[in-house]
Amino acid sequence: MEQINDQQVRDLGILTDPETATPDVPSNWHLIDWGLVELFVGKLQTRIAQAEQNKNYRMANRLSRSLVRSWQAKALAVRRVTTNQGKRTAGTDRELWSTPDAKWAAVCRLNKPGYKARPLRRIYIPKSNGKVRPLGIHTMFDRAMQALYHLALDPKVECKSDPNSYGFRKGRSTHDACGQLFISLSKDTSAQWILDADISGFFDNINHDWLLANVPMDKRILRQWLKAGFLDKGCLYRTEVGTPQGGIISPTLANFTLNGLESGLHRHLLATLGSKRGSGVKVNVVRYADDFVVTGISKELLVSVVQPWIEQFLRERGLFLSAEKTRLVSIFEGFDFLGWNFRKYESQLAKRQRGFKLLIKPSRKSVSAFYDKVRTIIGKSLSVPTQDLIKTLNPILRGWARYHRGVVAKKTFTRLDSLIHWRLRRWGSRRHPRKTGKWVYQTYWLPVDHRVVFTATGVDAQGEPVTSVLYRLGSTKIDRHHKVFGKFNPYDPSWERYSEIRSAASGEQSILSAARLKLWQEQGGYCALCEVPMNSTDPIDDHHIVYRMYGGSNALANRVLMHSVCHRRVHALGLEVTKPASA
């Protein structure tokens, strides 16, 4: 394989150094063609992955250096840190890149020689058990540097990842981990014992020496991030171990730290028990970030063979299993993982035959936390307009229902609908203490599409009547998730078609409104401006072809979907957008 040369760069229409820009290439933030930028970066990432798979590590390192030095990767890194949820949270330097000029200046000065990371700003996030989780806030510049080097590191880590590792990996989710556990535990002959493991203080205790010796990236840059220290209540503290939670590159470093847990355990079992017995003990590892479960044919096997090896594997990396949270359970007792409860229940298969069936349900902890959140919102909204209350609750209800719609959740949805209905009846009575319960019900519960639902009526900005309806959890259709293939690599060209099919499915699931779903399907899942696929994690906007202020309608024929950054570019440059040809 050859390194991408200057001619290929010129063919893409963008120079690698913005300081040498000419009138033919972008000279400010809004002129960047993100379609070409993502094409350039994607091609280099693919070549890095191919070199890594061919064990041509010298070529992989050369391509990685080309990527982090390229202007396109720098622009993409700045775009990531200025469009994510933390874009308005400043680090210790109190600097934010909120204007196009600031973003463009950041691209021009990113990755200059002599880079030195700034200390983190430490904040604490409350946990459900009463403790707090430390979170490190990097400066915008350090975040952009991490995003830049992450573009080159992620293809390498992906090639070395275990098949059943699902956390913080491109194209994988908690639902894939759930699907793999169903495959491993659902049959009558499946493993009946589970090691439900939890690592104590995972991000805070990873050994720096191990990371510096093994992570395939620039050691000086990595050392800067690991040894940056943090500020807490005006005092500067050194960091000798761990990688801060909140860093863009931290999840990738965490995955790299635990890579080999699954494959190494299987090799250990084959060496210890022999090839015949080692392949029949039904040991399967399913991991999401630092949480993982291990199945086994017997309790003795997990205690005497599996757990000691895992503890040794973690000890080399400075990590330990939490004695408080790690436990051995039977599948008939059940266990919680990623917000679901996995348990086998006795079922009547035939008149004279009894069996057990694996059911996956929302965990009690997840249900309780969700209902507490909804109850708190309703309790604090006595003086809030009904439309605003519905507008606040609907995304929460839809999001929770969408997360659990792939499991046995219909009864849970119905029960929660009843509890929310009762909570809203109480809300109405408290809001109108001099009215009867019947009056409250007839005022707020109105017939819509042959069903009486919690409803609010009002007018929009144009003065047209609008009816807002509270989303019912019970109306969510149960839709089983199709698990990703374990060997899937999003940077391998041979998986391109499979990746497109899965992206289309995940895009359909991410569109909450029927109107947006129809637009998304008309456009084939592609942005109307840059013609790059709109992923489920990308911020997406509606754009009116003829502006509403000029008399344009809100009909679907006058609307297209595009990335939020492309939408801002259209308005900043006054670009004209038409319906895609596929529409």
Side-chain angles (χ1 to χ4, degrees):
M1 288 181 292
E2 299 178 357
Q3 192 172 3
I4 289 182
N5 54 38
D6 293 339
Q7 181 59 44
Q8 290 172 297
V9 173
R10 286 192 292 270
D11 290 342
L12 289 176
I14 301 178
L15 296 182
T16 55
D17 188 356
E19 295 181 354
T20 62
T22 69
D24 297 329
V25 298
S27 58
N28 65 61
W29 181 256
H30 287 307
L31 290 175
I32 299 174
D33 189 331
W34 293 109
L36 292 180
V37 167
E38 294 202 12
L39 176 63
F40 181 91
V41 173
K43 284 185 175 181
L44 262 181
Q45 288 180 317
T46 297
R47 298 188 67 184
I48 292 172
Q50 290 175 327
E52 195 74 23
Q53 290 173 333
N54 296 332
K55 300 188 184 301
N56 190 348
Y57 302 122
R58 175 177 291 184
M59 176 60 70
N61 291 335
R62 288 177 57 193
L63 291 169
S64 297
R65 287 194 296 271
S66 297
L67 181 59
V68 298
R69 293 171 182 173
S70 68
W71 179 87
Q72 295 89 336
K74 296 176 185 178
L76 206 58
V78 173
R79 170 183 157 180
R80 175 175 180 180
V81 301
T82 55
T83 56
N84 60 17
Q85 291 183 348
K87 61 184 179 182
R88 294 185 180 89
T89 305
T92 53
D93 60 355
R94 302 297 178 184
E95 180 181 356
L96 291 176
W97 299 338
S98 56
T99 65
D101 290 341
K103 297 172 187 177
W104 181 256
V107 174
C108 297
R109 65 188 178 96
L110 200 62
N111 199 19
K112 292 293 184 181
Y115 165 73
K116 185 174 182 180
R118 299 284 295 272
L120 286 70
R121 181 164 66 91
R122 173 65 63 90
I123 63 174
Y124 296 92
I125 307 297
K127 298 172 67 174
S128 58
N129 59 4
K131 299 181 180 179
V132 293
R133 176 184 290 110
L135 187 67
I137 307 298
H138 293 82
T139 64
M140 292 294 292
F141 193 85
D142 289 338
R143 275 179 253 175
M145 284 291 289
Q146 290 194 10
L148 176 62
Y149 278 85
H150 178 266
L151 292 173
L153 178 62
D154 197 49
K156 296 181 179 180
V157 176
E158 191 66 38
C159 293
K160 298 178 182 293
S161 295
D162 291 326
N164 292 312
S165 165
Y166 299 99
F168 305 112
R169 291 179 63 187
K170 194 174 180 180
R172 297 178 183 238
S173 67
T174 56
H175 300 87
D176 294 311
C178 176
Q180 179 60 33
L181 277 175
F182 182 82
I183 293 172
S184 303
L185 298 170
S186 60
K187 298 180 181 179
D188 291 338
T189 57
S190 298
Q192 297 184 3
W193 287 92
I194 296 94
L195 174 65
D196 184 9
D198 186 87
I199 301 175
S200 179
F202 176 65
F203 284 93
D204 297 330
N205 295 310
I206 301 178
N207 187 283
H208 283 183
D209 293 336
W210 189 91
L211 287 175
L212 290 168
N214 292 278
V215 177
M217 64 167 291
D218 189 308
K219 308 301 181 185
R220 189 188 73 82
I221 299 294
L222 179 59
R223 184 182 295 274
Q224 286 290 320
W225 296 332
L226 296 177
K227 304 295 184 182
F230 63 90
L231 285 172
D232 186 14
K233 298 178 181 179
C235 297
L236 178 63
Y237 297 89
R238 298 175 63 182
T239 49
E240 300 297 338
V241 293
T243 177
Q245 296 187 61
I248 289 177
I249 209 168
S250 293
T252 303
L253 295 178
N255 273 334
F256 186 85
T257 302
L258 295 180
N259 280 342
L261 177 64
E262 179 182 357
S263 56
L265 178 58
H266 288 163
R267 288 194 299 268
H268 172 70
L269 291 172
L270 292 176
T272 304
L273 305 176
S275 60
K276 185 175 181 180
R277 188 183 173 197
S279 59
V281 291
K282 301 172 184 176
V283 172
N284 298 285
V285 181
V286 179
R287 178 170 67 86
Y288 189 90
D290 60 321
D291 294 327
F292 63 93
V293 295
V294 186
T295 67
I297 198 170
S298 68
K299 183 177 181 180
E300 292 73 19
L301 173 72
L302 294 175
V303 171
S304 60
V305 180
V306 173
Q307 187 168 346
W309 184 88
I310 292 176
E311 290 175 345
Q312 176 61 31
F313 175 87
L314 296 177
R315 195 176 299 116
E316 295 174 0
R317 294 152 175 79
L319 304 170
F320 301 91
L321 289 178
S322 170
E324 178 184 330
K325 297 181 180 180
T326 300
R327 62 193 188 108
L328 282 163
V329 295
S330 166
I331 189 59
F332 304 105
E333 177 186 353
F335 65 97
D336 292 346
F337 188 62
L338 302 176
W340 295 298
N341 178 262
F342 298 77
R343 183 180 174 185
K344 274 190 174 179
Y345 297 83
E346 190 174 8
S347 62
Q348 187 75 33
L349 298 179
K351 291 182 178 180
R352 297 184 179 180
Q353 182 182 7
R354 304 185 72 85
F356 292 89
K357 185 175 183 180
L358 177 69
L359 296 182
I360 306 173
K361 304 178 180 180
S363 66
R364 290 184 179 180
K365 184 178 179 181
S366 176
V367 172
S368 178
F370 167 73
Y371 180 63
D372 286 344
K373 183 176 183 179
V374 173
R375 180 182 61 185
T376 301
I377 292 174
I378 295 174
K380 293 181 178 179
S381 304
L382 287 177
S383 60
V384 173
T386 311
Q387 268 190 314
D388 293 346
L389 175 60
I390 293 176
K391 186 177 180 181
T392 302
L393 287 177
N394 274 351
I396 298 172
L397 298 174
R398 283 196 182 99
W400 196 84
R402 198 179 74 193
Y403 183 82
H404 293 287
R405 71 178 179 178
V407 300
V408 184
K410 205 66 175 180
K411 288 185 178 179
T412 304
F413 289 163
T414 303
R415 179 163 51 89
L416 283 171
D417 277 334
S418 298
L419 291 172
I420 294 172
H421 175 84
W422 174 82
R423 183 63 58 180
L424 289 170
R425 291 287 294 268
R426 186 180 178 187
W427 167 85
S429 297
R430 292 179 63 194
R431 190 169 185 173
H432 306 280
R434 297 185 179 182
K435 300 293 185 179
T436 64
K438 182 179 180 180
W439 182 92
V440 170
Y441 181 78
Q442 293 177 343
T443 301
Y444 290 102
W445 278 263
L446 303 176
V448 176
D449 296 333
H450 309 290
R451 180 182 289 273
V452 179
V453 291
F454 186 76
T455 309
T457 57
V459 295
D460 60 11
Q462 285 71 38
E464 299 178 1
V466 175
T467 300
S468 301
V469 178
L470 186 71
Y471 183 77
R472 291 180 60 255
L473 298 174
S475 65
T476 305
K477 181 182 178 181
I478 300 299
D479 185 13
R480 306 302 179 193
H481 179 78
H482 297 284
K483 190 189 82 70
V484 67
F485 285 134
K487 296 181 180 180
F488 169 64
N489 187 337
Y491 300 104
D492 188 343
S494 62
W495 290 94
E496 177 64 23
R497 177 57 182 163
Y498 178 75
S499 177
E500 289 178 351
I501 295 173
R502 286 193 62 84
S503 296
S506 65
E508 289 186 7
Q509 294 174 3
S510 68
I511 305 298
L512 296 181
S513 68
R516 277 196 165 196
L517 175 58
K518 187 171 183 179
L519 287 173
W520 189 91
Q521 291 172 336
E522 286 179 351
Q523 297 173 206
Y526 289 87
C527 174
L529 183 68
C530 67
E531 298 182 350
V532 171
M534 294 179 289
N535 297 322
S536 57
T537 56
D538 293 336
I540 299 173
D541 290 346
D542 281 19
H543 173 72
H544 290 79
I545 299 173
V546 179
Y547 294 172
R548 299 295 299 275
M549 65 176 64
Y550 298 149
S553 71
N554 201 40
L556 296 183
N558 190 45
R559 292 159 58 187
V560 291
L561 291 181
M562 60 179 63
H563 297 112
S564 295
V565 65
C566 294
H567 194 201
R568 289 192 292 271
R569 185 180 178 217
V570 166
H571 286 282
L573 300 179
L575 301 179
E576 182 178 350
V577 180
T578 59
K579 277 281 188 181
S582 58

